[in-house]
Amino acid sequence: MAKYDLIIIGGGPGGYVCAIKAGQLGLKVACVESRAKLGGTCLNVGCIPSKALLHAAHQVHEANTNFSTLGIDIAKINVNWTQMLKYKQSTIDANTSGVEYLFKKNKVDWLQGAGEIVETGKVKVGTKVYETKNIVIATGSVPSELKGIDVDEKSIVTSTGALELKALPKSLAIIGAGVIGLELGSVYAWLGTKVTVLEYLDRIIPGMDLDVAKTFEKILKKQGLEFKCGVKVVNVKKGRGAQEISYEDSKSDTILKERAEIVLVATGRRPFTEGLGITNVGVKLTPQGQIDTDNKFATNVAGIYAIGDVISGPMLAHKAADEGIAVAETIAGLTGYVNHEIIPSIIYTQPEVAAVGRTEEDLKEAGIDYKVGKFSLKGNARAKSVMQADGFVKILAAQDSDRILGCHIISPAASDLIQEICLAMEFGASAEDVALTSHGHPTYSEAVREAALACGDGPIHA
Ligand code: NAI
């Protein structure tokens, strides 16, 4: 059997991108994936299906809230959930088959099955053992379990089950006001489900700028989501037709109850390393259970690397893909590099939320002198013309040099707007550099420029 230069374990955005890049660099490469389709969590049960459902459900929300103002009269909106799920599946299929095509094009062998490292340079898939000079572990993450809650993926679900519900529920309780909770909460709230979000902390979207969290919570409440913050869910009891959630309320110090037809557990994810054989070769883990790597993604075992959700850093598909490219380059003898300081994070609700770099809370804690340039979408013509003027762009820049340190956006298309600032930060740009750049009119991106102006002489439309 031919010896590979590289075997990647895991065919998600980290693994498959790494495989394609390695193929392009002329390495003999294989990717081990046990799912029936390539693309990992992101393409099969994560980013892609959730975006398809968010898109479909948002059309319903628009029809219910804005159509009559726009001069569109429709007699009755009928949600065909079965068809919506079919549409979701078609977007998954289009993306996963695209990866399969790219594997063939770049001469990547797909070894179907679960991969186990039996010894250094040897990966077992099914009954076969393949030899390789290098191994990249890209096995991703799985939802974290919560004590006292038995997920059955039917009435008590993780994001996987929430993307496959048999029927639209009347009520949905979501444990955790993080990215998954708020994206899927939006889908169901827009489709008419009563959504209640129970969050341990006294705020939503921990880790993101507090200013953004406060405005975002108000916007989501207007869309029908209900929030109970400062509560710790301790258990969920299954009942016929409704599940009973018990939670500790930090304000009253009492145990309260909430009932809902479906419960979504969205309290984070943990690295997935089970059955991988890392103990066979002595790969070191961090105390958090992540694979310990250096800045070249190398583990403590020569020839074994790891990338993506299974190592430290934000659990984001694009971060994994960036690391996949970098590690393929390193293995091919080039210089692979990822700037972990400039990785955007995005919540694909409507409006979208996007952020890069430091938050105000970070900067205060680090004792860095900064200035704030903030611009409300109420002054943005494009946002007003499409009735989406709730939100803002906030740029944080160094007080002395004006260099951009962070940017936080709530806006339609925030996911795309943030890229301008990512690029600016990569180039070490100042807020003034962005302010001096011509921005098309009428675009949402003018709000980014106005926020940059607000760091200096002041915005025009405020
Ligand atoms: P998360 O870490 O974003 O949020 C989990 C929330 O659950 C936290 O706010 C936490 O305080 C709360 N929580 C924990 N235990 C609790 C309890 N007992 N009672 C009440 N609240 C409790 O995790 P999430 O949303 O599950 O997402 C997992 C990962 O997937 C994240 O790393 C996220 O970045 C990633 N992801 C990214 C997406 C994107 O980029 N758009 C979309 C979906 C997931």
Side-chain angles (χ1 to χ4, degrees):
M1 197 174 295
K3 186 169 174 169
Y4 285 104
D5 293 313
L6 169 61
I7 291 182
I8 299 145
I9 307 180
Y16 89 69
V17 169
C18 178
I20 291 170
K21 186 68 193 177
Q24 289 171 347
L25 291 171
L27 300 181
K28 185 166 170 49
V29 59
C31 180
V32 187
E33 171 56 59
S34 56
R35 276 181 210 269
K37 299 277 177 70
L38 293 166
T41 300
C42 176
L43 270 64
N44 289 284
V45 287
C47 330
I48 298 304
S50 61
K51 259 79 275 171
L53 286 184
L54 277 157
H55 173 69
H58 191 244
Q59 307 303 309
V60 176
H61 177 66
E62 279 290 283
N64 278 322
T65 51
N66 289 335
F67 271 20
S68 59
T69 314
L70 294 171
I72 307 166
D73 291 328
I74 43 173
K76 188 173 178 289
I77 298 151
N78 185 32
V79 175
N80 181 342
W81 179 241
T82 311
Q83 174 54 31
M84 223 175 250
L85 291 180
K86 267 193 206 155
Y87 164 69
K88 178 208 70 174
Q89 190 58 45
S90 69
T91 63
I92 296 173
D93 295 344
N95 282 284
T96 53
S97 57
V99 178
E100 227 178 303
Y101 159 78
L102 290 170
F103 268 21
K104 286 190 188 122
K105 186 177 165 196
N106 292 289
K107 301 190 175 57
V108 176
D109 292 342
W110 173 10
L111 309 176
Q112 253 174 306
E116 185 195 348
I117 305 170
V118 280
E119 57 183 91
T120 318
K122 285 193 180 154
V123 176
K124 190 173 165 200
V125 184
T127 52
K128 286 191 187 151
V129 175
Y130 298 86
E131 280 193 49
T132 179
K133 290 183 199 154
N134 299 282
I135 295 169
V136 169
I137 300 169
T139 44
S141 60
V142 288
S144 316
E145 294 85 11
L146 214 54
K147 231 177 102 208
I149 303 180
D150 290 327
V151 169
D152 60 9
E153 295 298 6
K154 287 187 178 75
S155 52
I156 303 177
V157 298
T158 65
S159 52
T160 305
L163 293 165
E164 278 293 343
L165 294 181
K166 293 274 169 284
L168 274 178
K170 288 207 165 40
S171 54
L172 170 70
I174 299 174
I175 310 173
V179 189
I180 293 182
L182 300 185
E183 287 186 359
L184 289 169
S186 295
V187 166
Y188 287 101
W190 291 335
L191 295 175
T193 299
K194 179 182 177 298
V195 174
T196 310
V197 185
L198 301 139
E199 167 57 46
Y200 176 68
L201 299 173
D202 58 1
R203 53 161 296 176
I204 67 168
I205 47 169
M208 291 193 108
D209 196 273
L210 189 56
D211 205 5
V212 166
K214 285 181 182 160
T215 303
F216 189 40
E217 186 176 338
K218 281 187 203 145
I219 293 172
L220 293 174
K221 279 181 176 161
K222 269 206 260 175
Q223 296 180 8
L225 284 90
E226 195 190 318
F227 289 93
K228 290 193 168 130
C229 289
V231 304
K232 184 182 173 196
V233 172
V234 285
N235 68 57
V236 179
K237 267 201 216 131
K238 261 187 226 174
R240 231 192 266 158
Q243 325 314 320
E244 190 179 79
I245 302 145
S246 300
Y247 61 91
E248 289 169 12
D249 180 30
S250 61
K251 283 164 227 114
S252 61
D253 239 350
T254 48
I255 299 271
L256 299 174
K257 300 207 189 292
E258 172 85 25
R259 284 162 71 82
E261 191 180 329
I262 303 284
V263 177
L264 164 60
V265 186
T267 51
R269 297 178 64 85
R270 63 170 176 83
F272 181 69
T273 52
E274 273 98 62
L276 187 57
I278 46 174
T279 44
N280 298 337
V281 281
V283 168
K284 225 170 80 190
L285 298 181
T286 67
Q288 292 77 33
Q290 301 148 328
I291 294 181
D292 203 4
T293 52
D294 66 12
N295 62 359
K296 291 272 168 222
F297 311 106
T299 69
N300 60 312
V301 179
I304 302 183
Y305 301 80
I307 57 166
D309 285 9
V310 82
I311 68 168
S312 66
M315 291 183 169
L316 297 171
H318 46 283
K319 175 253 190 194
D322 292 350
E323 292 176 348
I325 292 172
V327 79
E329 287 171 338
T330 300
I331 290 168
L334 305 169
T335 307
Y337 172 72
V338 177
N339 183 355
H340 284 100
E341 299 296 312
I342 308 179
I343 292 181
S345 55
I346 298 149
I347 311 175
Y348 295 86
T349 42
Q350 288 294 344
E352 294 179 342
V353 176
V356 66
R358 316 288 289 260
T359 62
E360 272 205 78
E361 293 73 47
D362 278 348
L363 293 171
K364 276 183 196 142
E365 205 181 308
I368 296 170
D369 267 351
Y370 66 95
K371 51 188 171 175
V372 182
K374 192 170 167 183
F375 184 77
S376 163
L377 287 197
K378 302 250 177 323
N380 179 270
R382 177 71 182 277
K384 279 195 291 195
S385 67
V386 294
M387 293 188 284
Q388 306 288 342
D390 277 346
F392 60 78
V393 177
K394 177 162 115 175
I395 291 177
L396 304 171
Q399 189 63 261
D400 49 1
S401 65
D402 193 39
R403 191 178 173 134
I404 299 174
L405 303 172
C407 179
H408 306 275
I409 306 177
I410 307 182
S411 167
S415 53
D416 292 311
L417 297 181
I418 200 73
Q419 293 308 138
E420 170 181 0
I421 298 298
C422 294
L423 190 64
M425 286 176 74
E426 282 289 353
F427 278 77
S430 62
E432 190 185 28
D433 289 324
V434 174
L436 288 172
T437 305
S438 181
H439 286 65
H441 176 76
T443 60
Y444 304 122
S445 76
E446 287 173 287
V448 177
R449 184 195 200 179
E450 295 267 24
L453 278 164
C455 289
D457 295 343
I460 302 293
H461 296 89

